[in-house]
Amino acid sequence: MAIHFNHFKLFLYAVALSVTSIGLAQETRPNILVVLCDDLGYADVGFNGSTDIVTPELDNLAQNGTIFTSAYVAHPFCGPSRSAILTGRYPHLTGTPYNLFHNSSDDDKDNMGVPVEETYMSKVLQNAGYYTSAIGKWHLGAAPKFHPNKRGFDDFYGFLGGGHDYFPSEYQKTYTAQKKAGNLNIRDYVFPMEHNGKPANETEYITDGFSREAIKNIKIAAAKKQPFFIYLAYNAPHVPLQAKAADVAKFAHIEDKDRRTYAAMVYAVDRGVGKIVQALKETKQFDNTLIVFLSDNGGNFDHGANNYPLKGTKGDTWEGGYRVPMFFHWPKKIKKDQRFDFPVSSLDLYPTFTDLAEAKLPKGKLLDGKNIMDDVLKNTEPYKDEMIYSLRYREGYNDVGARMGDWKITRMGNEPWRLHNITQDIGEKKNLAGRYPDRLKEMIAKTREWTKSFVRPLWVYSVKDKELWESGQMPNYEATFEVDKLVDSPYHK
């Protein structure tokens, strides 16, 4: 019996050791915090060269991590870009290349949202044991089946539309008055905040409120002893330009009123990030938290943003439309003071996060990005001889941008194709299409091939857009990707 008992003790010890090993393995998985700004300009943070807007908290994280100088999002507009981040797919492949308009349908049958067949990264991480929360702007569908709580988020605090006013004392007053008057089409910028499907009585400037909610969820995850995934989607500095007086006062040196208010809005994000970092340190989660900071698209230079030295603005396929400030910070793993100059895509976040979380992808799940963590650690090129694309549908034509290594092709506004050595000519000033016609043709052909898997958009912006699609005038790829007559045109000399 003693022998059997000793064997049993050894068995129990082995089981305990196994359980402990599993626990330790889980503890090594990082927390993941995505801080997403809305319409933030490329040059509107200190770590990317801003001189008039100060962002000390973001700069400290960036300088103690890896700054990506050539980070691209998958679309130059809010909704499609966010769809790409959470699905890991170009929005043209999921039917979501247009922004959802204000007061988009709340009826499941209208399919006004990212298709439920596309599994969000949040769901994959939730299934892997992560505590998941979405905070701030959604803009991916207001109907019940598209709600964050149905797409892999344990907790949601924010708003479902594409934008919002910032001061509760003002927007709540407007909402109450319009509801009392019987208005059935109240603009969603004044809707109450919501928490897990129920109205929430916000009392703070909403950027501060979103930072508060992130801190709350960090503490919840610590209490649960679970790794967390927090998708903190600030709507700042998206219009309307509204900032706290104390923040505006810090930027009295900026003469332009819009720029001054915009700067104050960015500063509020920076202040919030500082408080979040403090909470991570207090809960002893800072060293093993991967913080990813980026913007959903380029800055809107009609509303205070600065994309210098990039050409273009939000909505463009010039660099200024979809090349964004970005950094990774993870003390346990990421190098300090590293600049990563190779091109990467926001599509890479999905496969990178799921690998770090040791998560399993659903069978048949397609991803358009790649796990870039090893390349980041080694400072090697993830997309060698591969393209990173952007395409925006206009009324009857397409704007296109695509990069491969040092080279970028761009077509804007039905003008001829342009070719730039983007590492030497970041401002896209010198067109080299006439000098390197074969390179131009090769890159155009690759981009045309990319479009062959596109699906029909599930919604469009206007009646005119609908008519163009139904009449066959869109997507108009044949005209977009014509090459021969453009290469030899005077524009390329």
Side-chain angles (χ1 to χ4, degrees):
M1 289 295 293
I3 294 173
H4 292 301
F5 180 69
N6 286 335
H7 285 172
F8 183 64
K9 285 199 297 183
L10 287 171
F11 171 74
L12 289 177
Y13 176 76
V15 170
L17 185 63
S18 176
V19 170
T20 301
S21 299
I22 291 170
L24 288 172
Q26 289 175 337
E27 289 171 10
T28 63
R29 298 186 302 171
N31 303 305
I32 300 169
L33 168 61
V34 174
V35 180
L36 182 67
C37 277
D38 197 345
D39 295 359
L40 178 68
Y42 189 77
D44 288 334
V45 283
F47 69 83
N48 248 26
S50 175
T51 56
D52 58 347
I53 299 177
V54 293
T55 53
E57 302 294 345
L58 292 169
D59 296 349
N60 185 52
L61 291 172
Q63 289 156 9
N64 283 284
T66 294
I67 298 170
F68 295 83
T69 62
S70 295
Y72 294 88
V73 290
H75 196 279
F77 265 159
C78 306
S81 174
R82 290 157 194 267
S83 170
I85 290 171
L86 288 177
T87 64
R89 307 209 65 203
Y90 281 106
H92 318 77
L93 301 173
T94 61
T96 61
Y98 285 91
N99 262 342
L100 285 164
F101 43 78
H102 301 312
N103 295 350
S104 59
S105 175
D106 59 4
D107 187 340
D108 278 345
K109 295 179 182 178
D110 291 337
N111 286 320
M112 297 289 285
V114 180
V116 296
E117 292 77 17
E118 288 294 337
T119 305
Y120 283 0
M121 69 164 75
S122 48
K123 189 64 179 176
V124 175
L125 295 175
Q126 186 184 56
N127 289 342
Y130 275 63
Y131 173 72
T132 58
S133 64
I135 301 161
K137 173 174 170 175
W138 186 238
H139 207 195
L140 298 168
K145 71 179 181 180
F146 303 120
H147 192 276
N149 293 141
K150 296 280 186 69
R151 306 302 294 267
F153 288 104
D154 297 311
D155 191 78
F156 169 66
Y157 186 95
F159 59 91
L160 297 174
H164 210 281
D165 286 3
Y166 289 80
F167 290 101
S169 59
E170 297 298 322
Y171 72 70
Q172 288 170 358
K173 187 191 305 177
T174 302
Y175 178 79
T176 300
Q178 292 194 20
K179 190 145 189 174
K180 188 175 180 181
N183 184 357
L184 299 177
N185 191 32
I186 302 174
R187 191 165 183 254
D188 53 3
Y189 275 49
V190 300
F191 275 31
M193 292 293 116
E194 72 153 84
H195 183 219
N196 294 335
K198 297 179 180 179
N201 183 30
E202 181 57 71
T203 58
E204 297 187 76
Y205 179 71
I206 64 172
T207 301
D208 293 338
F210 296 153
S211 300
R212 177 200 69 229
E213 292 298 311
I215 291 166
K216 183 190 80 174
N217 279 288
I218 285 167
K219 292 179 178 178
I220 289 172
K224 287 175 173 286
K225 297 184 178 179
Q226 276 183 270
F228 66 72
F229 168 58
I230 296 177
Y231 172 71
L232 174 55
Y234 290 110
N235 57 314
H238 190 287
V239 292
L241 297 178
Q242 298 173 353
K244 296 168 74 172
D247 291 340
V248 175
K250 294 180 183 295
F251 298 94
H253 60 281
I254 299 178
E255 293 184 9
D256 181 80
K257 182 182 177 182
D258 280 0
R259 178 70 176 171
R260 186 163 63 248
T261 306
Y262 173 97
M265 296 169 77
V266 175
Y267 182 76
V269 169
D270 187 76
R271 179 179 61 244
V273 169
K275 292 180 179 179
I276 289 166
V277 166
Q278 184 179 349
L280 288 169
K281 289 179 178 178
E282 288 173 355
T283 56
K284 296 181 170 49
Q285 298 180 96
F286 181 69
D287 287 345
N288 199 31
T289 296
L290 169 62
I291 301 175
V292 177
F293 176 87
L294 74 163
S295 179
D296 64 344
N297 47 247
N300 187 341
F301 58 37
D302 288 334
H303 297 289
N306 177 14
N307 292 321
Y308 181 83
L310 309 181
K311 182 177 183 177
T313 187
K314 170 184 178 177
D316 290 350
T317 53
W318 299 118
E319 294 284 278
Y322 71 111
R323 183 168 172 172
V324 298
M326 188 171 98
F327 69 72
F328 279 11
H329 179 276
W330 183 10
K332 192 173 180 180
K333 193 98 172 181
I334 296 286
K335 297 176 185 176
K336 296 181 179 180
D337 300 318
Q338 176 173 275
R339 293 179 69 84
F340 194 84
D341 295 324
F342 300 113
V344 296
S345 169
S346 61
L347 293 163
D348 302 330
L349 298 181
Y350 194 133
T352 300
F353 293 171
T354 52
D355 182 73
L356 291 173
E358 300 171 17
K360 291 184 179 179
L361 292 175
K363 186 177 181 180
K365 172 62 182 169
L366 300 175
L367 293 172
D368 296 317
K370 56 180 61 183
N371 178 4
I372 61 171
M373 187 53 71
D374 283 347
D375 287 300
V376 171
L377 296 176
K378 297 173 185 175
N379 203 15
T380 52
E381 186 173 4
Y383 281 88
K384 188 173 179 60
D385 301 322
E386 295 180 76
M387 304 273 279
I388 292 176
Y389 303 101
S390 179
L391 183 146
R392 179 192 169 183
Y393 296 124
R394 298 274 190 175
E395 289 187 343
Y397 61 94
N398 306 295
D399 291 340
V400 184
R403 178 170 172 176
M404 183 168 65
D406 294 334
W407 296 92
K408 162 99 183 289
I409 56 170
T410 309
R411 189 172 190 198
M412 285 283 296
N414 269 338
E415 294 180 358
W417 282 96
R418 298 177 65 88
L419 174 70
H420 300 275
N421 184 315
I422 206 65
T423 57
Q424 297 176 5
D425 179 22
I426 194 172
E428 295 175 279
K429 295 175 181 177
K430 188 174 183 180
N431 188 4
L432 300 177
R435 187 178 301 178
Y436 302 103
D438 290 341
R439 184 183 298 275
L440 176 72
K441 288 181 180 181
E442 177 191 2
M443 293 179 71
I444 291 174
K446 286 177 180 289
T447 309
R448 175 67 179 99
E449 188 65 26
W450 168 63
T451 67
K452 289 180 179 178
S453 298
F454 285 8
V455 299
R456 176 80 176 262
L458 294 170
W459 60 83
V460 293
Y461 290 139
S462 65
V463 172
K464 184 174 181 180
D465 283 327
K466 187 176 181 181
E467 290 173 350
L468 288 168
W469 281 90
E470 290 181 347
S471 68
Q473 295 179 69
M474 286 294 289
N476 201 19
Y477 297 136
E478 293 305 318
T480 298
F481 293 100
E482 279 184 320
V483 178
D484 293 340
K485 68 177 184 180
L486 296 177
V487 171
D488 297 323
S489 77
Y491 290 97
H492 293 76
K493 301 300 183 185

